[in-house]
Amino acid sequence: MSSKSMNKAPSRISDLQVWKQYPLGWRLVAGYAVLFIGSVIVLGALAYGLLVYFLQQPDRAFMETQARQLAATYEAGGPQAMRRMLERNAADEQYQELVVRLTNDQGDTFFLHNPDNWQAPDLDRLAAADSPDTASWIPLGAAQDQDPIEAFALRISPARILQVGMDAPLSDEILRSMKWVFLASALPVLLIALIGGMLLAHRALRPLRTVVHTFETIIETGDVGKRAPVPEVQGEFAQLAHLFNQMLDRIERLVEGMRTTLDNVAHDLRTPMTRLRGQAELAVRSDSTTEDELRDALANTLNASDTVLEVLETILNVAEMETGTVSLQRSRMAVSDLAATVVDAYQFVADEKDITLTTDIPQPLFVQVDAGRMRQALANLLDNAVKYTPPGGRVTVQAAALPANDTYAARLTVRDTGMGIPAHEQPRIWDRLYRGDQSRTERGLGLGLSLVQAIVQAHEGRIEVESETNEGTAMHVWLP
């Protein structure tokens, strides 16, 4: 590649970068103006070309017709017959502008009919024209009187060439006027292009300006409840405004969720932290504290710190599962063994609430899972089932084998007869730290189901909820 071409490439890139620095509105105006003016120029050139064609066509047709008639007359009676033919038509205005010349390949003149008084330089250019093989047009440009002239050359014998020419003052005057019209209309066309471009750009960018204004309002006030008006006419900007509003809806839900989460975290951490501080202060301030009382205080302090650590560890577990940073230790495990350990752990709690806890798992049924993580997920599901099932209710852990051609090996279900989950809350129960209205009466941060979903998805499984208010809930887990 040459150094010149290498220097031109950075220049083009630099020009493009400078062009992109201008506001979008100005670029649209400039683009529209260039497109409009270019279209006008193309249409004007096309109109001018058609006008030239239609103005010249009658004169050309007349010259060619007369040339062929004169050629036939010459063949019949020679130059004298041509002269008589021209004299007979001398009263015709078109014949008065007709120049007829008989010549040979060397440019010698054997016959000349010049009623329009073409001057010598014009005739010299006619004589210097190339000889045609059969017939051709000879463009001669402007005559000495500035009228355009043209001639038609016809070979009438091996040694003779007939040239018939005319000037076209009227056509030239029309074309000259047409040029002045184009030049005079250039400035109005430019103004129309710029004004039209500004109006169209202003109207086209109006939805974008409303989106920008909404952004600015949100930034200034912090009110994420603002929404951009969606244009009635559907198009790209209407879609942009709609997507922008959807994004704001999601941001508003996230902000509201963060506020609710902070309230829940503050509420659930305040109790163990208060107990921890109270026990520590009691042990420090009392002079008569016995060794047993100190042990009790330390035990209570450890219990409170364990509660805080459990909350923090659950939050970290959910984050690690969602980001995929946890490595699973998968192994082939019987579903019955997996469920038995967790069910035994919650049997006492269920008995205390007078809840029947049963299992229905066929043998043998195996899955490839991380035993510790899957027990953690199943424990969360059982904890919720027992927690939200009233006394006298039932909680059942079921499992079913799936066909060999299915993506998953087994489906595990935790079913209860509790209060159920309202339909409008079901899509959000998987959100981290979300707690439904009915669940606020129970202790918890709302991290359980988000952790369960994260664990199941980390195993490339699937989890779904089936629930009706006051009818109970079934959590279905598909495992590989």
Side-chain angles (χ1 to χ4, degrees), residues 141-159:
Q144 294 297 309
D145 58 1
Q146 300 305 313
D147 289 339
I149 56 177
E150 191 176 26
F152 179 74
L154 179 65
R155 184 175 290 276
I156 58 178
S157 70

Side-chain angles (χ1 to χ4, degrees), residues 229-478:
V230 180
E232 295 181 359
V233 179
Q234 296 301 312
E236 288 79 4
F237 284 121
Q239 185 179 9
L240 174 63
H242 181 67
L243 292 175
F244 173 69
N245 288 337
Q246 285 186 329
M247 181 188 68
L248 289 178
D249 291 339
R250 185 170 181 81
I251 290 174
E252 187 175 18
R253 288 197 300 268
L254 289 174
V255 171
E256 185 62 29
M258 289 174 61
R259 290 172 180 168
T260 304
T261 298
L262 289 175
D263 291 342
N264 292 337
V265 170
H267 180 271
D268 287 335
L269 290 182
R270 180 175 57 186
T271 300
M273 292 299 293
T274 302
R275 288 178 57 199
L276 191 152
R277 181 178 178 83
Q279 292 293 331
E281 287 182 349
L282 182 63
V284 170
R285 291 179 180 179
S286 179
D287 295 333
S288 60
T289 304
T290 64
E291 184 176 347
D292 290 338
E293 290 175 337
L294 288 174
R295 288 182 179 277
D296 290 340
L298 287 174
N300 292 332
T301 300
L302 287 174
N303 289 333
S305 63
D306 287 342
T307 303
V308 174
L309 288 174
E310 182 182 357
V311 171
L312 297 177
E313 185 177 358
T314 304
I315 295 175
L316 290 174
N317 284 337
V318 174
E320 289 174 350
M321 285 292 176
E322 289 180 344
T323 56
T325 56
V326 175
S327 60
L328 300 176
Q329 305 298 324
R330 299 194 190 194
S331 60
R332 191 169 183 265
M333 185 173 188
V335 176
S336 57
D337 295 340
L338 181 68
T341 305
V342 181
V343 170
D344 289 344
Y346 278 87
Q347 188 66 59
F348 177 76
V349 180
D351 292 341
E352 277 194 333
K353 288 190 66 176
D354 192 23
I355 295 173
T356 303
L357 178 58
T358 60
T359 59
D360 181 13
I361 301 174
Q363 295 283 352
L365 180 58
F366 295 91
V367 288
Q368 288 283 343
V369 295
D370 184 315
R373 292 293 183 180
M374 195 52 61
R375 287 194 184 99
Q376 186 180 13
L378 184 56
N380 274 280
L381 294 178
L382 265 179
D383 183 74
N384 283 342
V386 173
K387 185 187 299 182
Y388 297 113
T389 298
R394 175 181 294 274
V395 175
T396 306
V397 180
Q398 302 170 318
L402 298 178
N405 59 353
D406 198 287
T407 306
Y408 305 103
R411 183 183 66 202
L412 185 66
T413 301
V414 178
R415 191 182 302 274
D416 64 61
T417 59
M419 65 180 66
I421 304 172
H424 69 277
E425 290 184 359
Q426 291 180 20
R428 300 192 60 193
I429 61 174
W430 314 109
D431 294 344
R432 193 188 307 182
L433 298 165
Y434 175 77
R435 299 184 68 188
D437 294 334
Q438 298 181 9
S439 66
R440 297 183 188 279
T441 58
E442 299 286 344
R443 292 185 58 191
L445 285 175
L447 288 167
L449 289 179
S450 61
L451 177 60
V452 171
Q453 185 187 51
I455 292 174
V456 172
Q457 290 180 347
H459 283 82
E460 299 175 354
R462 185 171 101 244
I463 183 169
E464 293 180 0
V465 61
E466 177 188 349
S467 182
E468 291 186 15
T469 306
N470 299 323
E471 294 292 333
T473 301
M475 292 289 181
H476 302 289
V477 179
W478 284 263

Side-chain angles (χ1 to χ4, degrees), residues 17-52:
Q17 291 174 345
V18 171
W19 170 249
K20 288 183 177 180
Q21 291 176 356
Y22 289 98
L24 177 60
W26 287 111
R27 283 185 280 162
L28 285 176
V29 171
Y32 172 80
V34 170
L35 181 62
F36 183 81
I37 293 173
S39 300
V40 170
I41 291 175
V42 171
L43 291 175
L46 180 61
Y48 183 81
L50 290 173
L51 182 62
V52 169

